[in-house]
Structure formats: structure tokens, C-alpha cells
Amino acid sequence: DAKTTQPTSMDCAEGRAANLPCNHSTISGNEYVYWYRQIHSQGPQYIIHGLKNNETNEMASLIITEDRKSSTLILPHATLRDTAVYYCIVRKGYGNKLVFGAGTILRVKS
Amino acid sequence: DARVTQTPRHKVTEMGQEVTMRCQPILGHNTVFWYRQTMMQGLELLAYFRNRAPLDDSGMPKDRFSAEMPDATLATLKIQPSEPRDSAVYFCASAPPSGGTYNEQFFGPGTRLTVL
């Protein structure tokens, strides 16, 4: 599975959009981009995933560049409860294990 | 609200003792994962099962760790003998069968293990 690079930490004001970048320049054609987050003292939680097209669900939007070498997770209106570590993971499809990196610590501040 | 459950939530034990952690996957899920999280190493996959058969345990120290699924509703992770370096949070996750190319993993709350 391709490796990912994320900033160590980011701050965001409550109510503003949080944009979390991820580089995955070695991604191959059949690999998906997944985002999970881990709120303090809890297990990781799935957020969203995508292959080529931009995706949106009730939690977030995922923007993948045309060359697929990078992506951005967008939390449209961050709240204090969105403070967490966000993991960008590149993985082939069904059944394969998730390899977690260090992730990005997002701090949402009032 | 279906959830992965793990017991115990906290365990303090002395070096050399056997530790057993249990996981109940979400009903109907056929893939179960065991992860370990420490400050130094982050989240690491130890082993995973599909339809109760082990698929990959390459992340698990073989000499002291063992993982099993006695039935579809129970997964166990044992450490014998335990060592202080095993102190960590152990997460279990389960995933449903998928007809496509994607399956979300649902994580339990974890077992916080402290080995003195």
C-alpha cells in the first residue's frame, strides 16, 4: 500500500471549515483513499473514502486531485467535538488491513 | 446501535502473568482485527481473521501472543507471559462482508493494559 504524508498538527476555529491535506504521490490505480479519526481515549472511527471522484457524506467531504497524488478532507463547520487525530490511509479495496501513520492532530478552538 | 464490545476495559497485571482480552464483534461481521496502540509506535495491526480463520498474524510476537476466534461472536487475544513492554491499548475492530471493494472497520473502545 502507498505511503501517506500528513502535517503533524493543525488548528481550526470553531464554526470554520477544517481542511486537512494528505499527500500520497505513490498511489496506484486500484488504491483507495480512506480517512479515519480518533478522538481521545476512543477507538478510531471511519469518516469517508474515495477512489477518484470527490465524495461527500454527513460528516465530511473528500477532495482528490485529478492525478490522485493528494487529497483534502474537509469538515465544513468544525466543532470542539471534532478535535481528534485524523488518519489518511491508502489501501487497496476489500479486505486488506489498514496501516495507520502518525496522522494529523486537529485542534478546534473556540 | 450495534457496537464492538471489548472486555476488560482496563487491566493491571504483574509481569509474567497471563492476560486474556476478549472482543465481541458486531453481529454479522465476518472479519475481526486486533490492533495495539502505544505512544511510541502508534496504531499497529497485530492479527486479523475472516470467517474465524486467521489471515495475517505477522504483526504479532509469536512467542508470547496468541489470537483465536472460538466462535463467530468471540475473539480472544492472549499474552503469556506478559511483560512491561506489552503495556498498551489493544483495540478490536470488525468489518462486515462486502460484495464490493470496500469495507469499513468498526472499532471497539479498547482494553488498556498495564503490566507492572
Side-chain angles (χ1 to χ4, degrees):
Chain A
D1 296 330
K3 289 187 178 179
T4 63
T5 304
Q6 299 178 251
T8 302
S9 64
M10 297 181 63
D11 290 340
C12 177
E14 189 178 21
R16 303 297 295 270
N19 297 280
L20 292 93
C22 179
N23 286 322
H24 31 78
S25 59
T26 61
I27 192 170
S28 60
N30 62 350
E31 288 181 318
Y32 289 71
V33 180
Y34 290 80
W35 284 84
Y36 277 73
R37 74 179 182 183
Q38 187 174 22
I39 295 170
H40 183 60
S41 297
Q42 298 182 21
Q45 175 192 23
Y46 164 82
I47 302 172
I48 199 167
H49 77 288
L51 181 62
K52 287 189 279 191
N53 300 322
N54 298 337
E55 302 288 343
T56 296
N57 63 20
E58 65 279 3
M59 288 183 69
S61 295
L62 175 60
I63 308 298
I64 302 174
T65 58
E66 193 169 341
D67 63 8
R68 305 211 318 126
K69 293 184 177 182
S70 65
S71 60
T72 301
L73 178 74
I74 301 173
L75 307 179
H77 305 287
T79 71
L80 298 178
R81 289 178 295 181
D82 292 320
T83 292
V85 180
Y86 286 77
Y87 299 98
C88 170
I89 300 166
V90 170
R91 195 195 84 174
K92 294 183 177 66
Y94 172 68
N96 290 331
K97 57 192 179 186
L98 294 171
V99 178
F100 288 84
T104 296
I105 300 170
L106 174 68
R107 288 180 286 255
V108 181
K109 299 182 176 181
S110 58
Chain B
D1 185 21
R3 297 184 183 188
V4 175
T5 58
Q6 291 186 246
T7 56
R9 292 294 310 278
H10 301 273
K11 175 73 175 179
V12 179
T13 190
E14 293 188 347
M15 183 173 63
Q17 296 298 304
E18 178 178 301
V19 175
T20 299
M21 291 169 271
R22 294 176 174 80
C23 167
Q24 182 173 17
I26 294 172
L27 189 63
H29 285 195
N30 69 337
T31 307
V32 175
F33 304 81
W34 283 105
Y35 292 86
R36 175 173 64 182
Q37 186 170 35
T38 62
M39 289 294 293
M40 293 299 294
Q41 299 297 326
L43 264 166
E44 306 171 282
L45 178 70
L46 297 175
Y48 75 102
F49 295 76
R50 178 159 302 121
N51 298 321
R52 298 176 56 200
L55 286 191
D56 186 348
D57 62 0
S58 59
M60 204 164 64
K62 301 293 192 301
D63 56 339
R64 299 182 299 107
F65 284 61
S66 62
E68 295 180 343
M69 279 201 74
D71 61 58
T73 64
L74 177 64
T76 63
L77 179 67
K78 290 186 181 180
I79 308 174
Q80 169 61 18
S82 58
E83 297 181 2
R85 60 180 168 152
D86 301 328
S87 297
V89 181
Y90 291 81
F91 289 104
C92 173
S94 69
S98 172
T101 58
Y102 155 72
N103 64 333
E104 173 186 345
Q105 292 186 23
F106 295 78
F107 283 76
T111 293
R112 181 174 295 275
L113 174 65
T114 302
V115 183
L116 303 175

